[in-house]
């Protein structure tokens, strides 16, 4: 089919944009022709949740949502008001989709099993990076999706599984613009929310992370507690490198979504090491480590724990289990792995 671009080219108007909805339907046609359309409906419910959360974050300062809500979640974090609102928006969007049976949220102590017959389990960090929210730093929603096991009616066994069994993963970052990074197992695609249209528009098709980049992203405030091999690895990054004569640059925002977004686009390595203080690190396996690991690998990067084991091969025992995590350009992760004793 010829697409009509001559007139619009002269006026520099794009007349053949790919919305997320159109993209999902094309993916379904290309990769899952026998699909029932359930995953398409689920992705539409997810994108509604992102639009609604983005709307509330944009208005937060105006309607005074900034600041703490006074309650605390299962891991003891003091919840910001937007944590609570983001969580409720997400739960309602998943429940009303009719496609989700099981939901794990950072903000919910226990698993949620919905009435009805959905065939998907969703794991989410509704608002990641909320400690930064009062300072206007980008925060985001992280999500990972499992298809229920064939014989399951929805239980914890649908989510205490390897990350390699996730069928969809991604994040939406609420920054200057609202940016969705998505994988359904066939590469990574980036979408930007056009607030006038109310549609996510494909802006970064088939994103590939650079093979290497002299950027490291860790909270060095924890370095006293790091194992010796981690300290040696970081010290060597700070020396002038043979190839460039310059040391690595340090970039750390403190919101995982923002640090991972920069790493996907620029390359480099992001890490939250397990150490003598945190024991298993700080980031949660099901709704921070697994989704970001799937995105990184689908973009041609790598993601391992402190022993160099592939994150997606880990098997969590609890829905809020944590792991140390090292992810980013394949060349950078391979360099780190060489230091592991
Ligand atoms: P959350 O806001 O969902 O609790 O996640 C915060 C996490 C993650 O976003 C970030 O990478 C990490 O906390 C930063 O931790 P430090 O402040 O200890 O560096
Ligand atoms: Mn988080
Ligand atoms: Mn969170």
């Amino acid at each position: 089919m010829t697409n009509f671009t001559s007139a619009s080219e002269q006026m520099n108007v794009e007349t053949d944009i790919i919305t997320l909805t159109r993209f999902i339907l094309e993916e379904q046609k290309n990769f899952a022709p026998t699909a029932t359309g359930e995953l398409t409906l689920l992705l539409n419910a997810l994108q509604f949740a992102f639009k609604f959360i983005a709307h509330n974050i944009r208005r937060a300062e105006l309607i005074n949502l900034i600041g703490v809500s006074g309650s605390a979640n299962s891991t003891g974090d003091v919840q910001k008001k937007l944590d609570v609102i983001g969580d409720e928006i997400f739960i309602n969007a998943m429940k009303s989709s009719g496609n989700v049976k099981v939901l794990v949220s950072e903000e919910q102590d226990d698993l949620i099993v919905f009435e009805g017959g959905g065939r998907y389990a969703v794991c989410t960090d509704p608002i990641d990076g909320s400690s930064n929210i009062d300072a206007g730093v980008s925060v985001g929603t992280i999500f990972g999706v499992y298809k229920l096991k064939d014989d399951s009616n929805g239980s914890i066994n649908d989510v205490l599984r390897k990350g390699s069994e996730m069928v969809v993963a991604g994040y939406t970052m609420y920054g200057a613009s609202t940016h969705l990074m998505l994988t359904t197992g066939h590469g990574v695609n980036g979408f930007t929310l056009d607030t006038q249209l109310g549609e996510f528009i494909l802006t970064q098709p088939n994103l590939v992370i650079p093979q290497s980049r002299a950027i490291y992203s860790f909270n060095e405030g924890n370095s006293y507690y790091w194992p010796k091999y981690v300290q040696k690895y970081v010290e060597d990054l700070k020396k002038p490198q043979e190839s460039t004569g310059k040391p690595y640059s340090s970039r750390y925002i403190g919101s995982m979504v923002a640090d991972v977004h920069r790493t996907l686009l620029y390359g480099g390595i992001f890490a939250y090491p397990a150490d003598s203080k945190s024991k298993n690190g700080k980031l949660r396996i099901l709704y921070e480590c697994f989704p970001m690991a799937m995105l990184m690998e689908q973009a041609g990067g790598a993601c391992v724990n402190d022993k160099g084991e592939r994150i997606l091969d880990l098997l969590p025992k609890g829905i809020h289990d944590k792991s140390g995590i090292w992810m980013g350009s394949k060349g950078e992760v391979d360099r780190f792995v060489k230091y592991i004793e």
Side-chain angles (χ1 to χ4, degrees):
M1 179 193 81
T2 54
N3 47 5
F4 301 90
T5 57
S6 54
S8 56
E9 256 170 356
Q10 283 141 26
M11 291 185 278
N12 192 21
V13 171
E14 176 54 57
T15 57
D16 191 18
I17 56 172
I18 299 182
T19 63
L20 175 59
T21 307
R22 173 176 156 189
F23 176 85
I24 296 166
L25 289 173
E26 284 171 2
E27 280 244 309
Q28 178 179 309
K29 202 167 61 220
N30 299 339
F31 296 113
T34 59
T36 57
E38 282 178 306
L39 189 59
T40 301
L41 288 174
L42 170 61
L43 286 166
N44 282 327
L46 282 167
Q47 74 167 303
F48 169 72
F50 303 144
K51 291 178 193 174
F52 196 3
I53 292 172
H55 173 71
N56 277 284
I57 286 191
R58 259 197 307 281
R59 290 170 57 236
E61 277 135 37
L62 302 178
I63 54 171
N64 184 30
L65 280 181
I66 297 291
V68 297
S69 70
S71 54
N73 68 7
S74 60
T75 42
D77 303 341
V78 173
Q79 281 180 321
K80 297 279 182 184
K81 281 181 186 169
L82 275 174
D83 276 327
V84 177
I85 290 188
D87 188 41
E88 287 175 11
I89 288 173
F90 205 90
I91 293 171
N92 291 330
M94 295 301 101
K95 182 161 65 181
S96 58
S97 77
N99 287 102
V100 177
K101 185 69 183 168
V102 172
L103 177 63
V104 169
S105 165
E106 177 197 10
E107 306 305 334
Q108 297 292 325
D109 293 359
D110 300 320
L111 191 80
I112 298 176
V113 180
F114 294 120
E115 292 304 310
R119 298 303 303 157
Y120 290 97
V122 177
C123 305
T124 186
D125 177 356
I127 303 287
D128 170 72
S130 51
S131 62
N132 288 309
I133 217 158
D134 299 356
V137 173
S138 296
V139 297
T141 301
I142 309 172
F143 59 97
V145 180
Y146 289 107
K147 191 145 176 47
L148 288 200
K149 294 183 170 183
D150 291 346
D151 56 351
S152 166
N153 284 320
S155 80
I156 199 160
N157 299 323
D158 291 301
V159 291
L160 295 185
R161 294 155 78 175
K162 291 186 174 185
S164 51
E165 294 182 41
M166 282 192 169
V167 291
V168 170
Y171 60 79
T172 298
M173 187 172 78
Y174 311 105
S177 60
T178 297
H179 201 98
L180 164 63
M181 207 61 98
L182 175 73
T183 180
T184 59
H186 309 292
V188 172
N189 288 280
F191 300 81
T192 305
L193 180 63
D194 179 320
T195 47
Q196 264 72 34
L197 273 179
E199 291 279 7
F200 279 99
I201 309 296
L202 180 65
T203 45
Q204 280 160 318
N206 303 314
L207 185 125
V208 174
I209 183 172
Q211 178 58 14
S212 64
R213 181 71 189 272
I215 297 175
Y216 71 92
S217 183
F218 328 134
N219 181 346
E220 294 205 62
N222 296 325
S223 57
Y224 173 79
Y225 302 102
W226 289 347
K228 286 278 169 274
Y229 73 89
V230 173
Q231 306 205 10
K232 172 80 177 97
Y233 163 69
V234 176
E235 280 324 303
D236 286 353
L237 296 185
K238 294 179 174 178
K239 293 171 186 162
Q241 304 297 304
E242 260 171 49
S243 51
T244 61
K246 290 189 294 183
Y248 274 50
S249 289
S250 167
R251 292 282 182 277
Y252 192 70
I253 300 167
S255 285
M256 184 187 199
V257 173
D259 281 316
V260 168
H261 189 63
R262 184 207 52 253
T263 305
L264 266 174
L265 299 185
Y266 294 5
I269 184 164
F270 166 82
Y272 206 100
D275 58 29
S276 56
K277 179 177 73 164
S278 64
K279 296 289 174 282
N280 294 326
K282 174 180 184 182
L283 299 177
R284 280 55 59 102
I285 292 176
L286 272 182
Y287 43 82
E288 289 171 317
C289 299
F290 278 172
M292 296 309 207
M294 184 174 174
L295 275 175
M296 275 298 165
E297 289 197 0
Q298 286 289 323
C303 187
V304 299
N305 65 6
D306 302 80
K307 297 182 209 127
E309 296 160 337
R310 184 179 176 236
I311 285 281
L312 290 178
D313 289 339
L314 299 181
L315 187 58
K317 292 187 184 50
I319 60 172
H320 298 296
D321 280 7
K322 301 173 181 178
S323 171
I325 186 165
W326 300 74
M327 66 165 90
S329 300
K330 181 95 179 57
E332 301 305 336
V333 174
D334 289 349
R335 173 176 173 155
F336 159 68
V337 169
K338 292 194 182 84
Y339 283 76
I340 300 175
E341 284 144 359

